[in-house]
Amino acid sequence: MTGTVKMDRARRNLLKLAGTMAAAIVGATVPARADHDDRGGDGGNSCFLRGTQVRTPDGYRAVEALSVGDKVAARFAGFAPIKAVDGFTLERIAGKWVGHARPVRVKRNALGENMPTQDLCLTAAHAVAIDGALVPVINLVNGTSIVFETAEGRDLLEFFHIELAHHDLLEVQGVACESLRRPGVDPCLPLLGFNGHRSELRSRVRSAMSVVVDRRQPLDLIRDTIEERGLAFVRAA
């Protein structure tokens, strides 16, 4: 890796430290709430926006068209029958999308070539599989290739989740996305996530200091790689 790339990473993470520090300070002054932070991900809000394409034995089908008993492509179980498929409507609150179901848009090629094959919209706590681990997509938001969905002109968004007999990975528009995981169920892969803003702050410090000594943890490396890929797309545009 070139010195320029390392210096760019250090500058980028130092700039993002300010925002993360401000959020941590605000978080410390807000009374604790069960839904206050959605960065860890518990698998209970693993939902796809209406229209999302899920692979089945007959090709890709829209998530809202799937029913209990239909088979979908699962990494560990092969083509597995759906145990449950349910939907909910997310409503904009005071002009904003908030909470663990806040929508996040993963743009085409954000995670790799044809990953996803087209823009993919998930709830914030929904985890995707990267480098042998599950990462809630909110931990990967970078403002370029992975962004908070604004859905301008809409006050309601319809989401659906898919539950299998066992927690697994679904093939969704070229991305391995987790199926619904009920509380207390072990994930099919190790789960990586920030446990609040202070955890993210420490991650940014590690990435900023990696130009001197690289002590980044797996999630830091994943996030940095995806951020750098997103910035490369912006420069090439």
Side-chain angles (χ1 to χ4, degrees):
M1 182 176 291
T2 67
T4 300
V5 173
K6 290 182 178 180
M7 290 303 299
D8 285 347
R9 183 202 308 138
R11 283 193 292 266
R12 183 178 70 251
N13 279 282
L14 285 170
L15 287 172
K16 293 198 174 188
L17 273 174
T20 305
M21 289 177 66
I25 293 170
V26 172
T29 63
V30 176
R33 290 172 47 193
D35 62 347
H36 178 63
D37 199 302
D38 49 19
R39 292 181 176 263
D42 63 2
N45 292 278
S46 304
C47 303
F48 306 98
L49 182 67
R50 169 180 280 274
T52 299
Q53 299 293 306
V54 181
R55 187 182 170 213
T56 75
D58 302 315
Y60 284 92
R61 294 175 59 189
V63 63
E64 69 271 16
L66 297 172
S67 303
V68 172
D70 289 346
K71 291 187 175 181
V72 291
R75 176 172 296 183
F76 301 108
F79 285 104
I82 294 175
K83 178 181 177 181
V85 56
D86 295 298
F88 76 95
T89 300
L90 179 66
E91 184 174 1
R92 197 188 294 268
I93 299 175
K96 300 179 180 179
W97 306 109
V98 297
H100 44 244
R102 183 178 183 180
V104 172
R105 178 172 294 274
V106 182
K107 296 183 181 180
R108 181 175 180 270
N109 295 327
L111 306 178
E113 189 67 25
N114 291 320
M115 297 172 58
T117 54
Q118 61 192 73
D119 286 9
L120 173 65
C121 189
L122 308 170
T123 46
H126 201 148
V128 295
I130 305 174
D131 294 345
L134 287 169
V135 182
V137 71
I138 190 174
N139 297 153
L140 303 175
V141 169
N142 54 37
T144 55
S145 59
I146 302 179
V147 298
F148 287 115
E149 176 63 72
T150 57
E152 295 296 339
R154 301 178 64 180
D155 290 323
L156 300 173
L157 293 174
E158 192 172 6
F159 284 90
F160 297 83
H161 70 239
I162 294 174
E163 183 180 8
L164 305 180
H166 304 283
H167 189 240
D168 212 319
L169 300 176
L170 308 171
E171 186 175 330
V172 182
Q173 296 176 196
V175 176
C177 300
E178 68 171 337
S179 62
L180 180 72
R181 180 170 59 89
R182 300 289 181 182
V185 173
D186 290 334
C188 62
L189 290 176
L191 181 64
L192 303 179
F194 298 125
N195 298 314
H197 293 294
R198 289 183 178 84
S199 174
E200 187 177 3
L201 177 62
R202 290 191 291 270
S203 172
R204 290 293 181 186
V205 170
R206 288 192 296 268
S207 289
M209 293 300 296
S210 65
V211 67
V212 179
V213 56
D214 197 343
R215 294 179 177 173
R216 290 178 294 166
Q217 297 178 5
L219 181 53
D220 309 334
L221 292 164
I222 290 170
R223 185 215 40 229
D224 288 346
T225 298
I226 292 172
E227 279 189 354
E228 287 158 11
R229 181 179 179 85
L231 289 170
F233 287 153
V234 172
R235 295 189 189 104

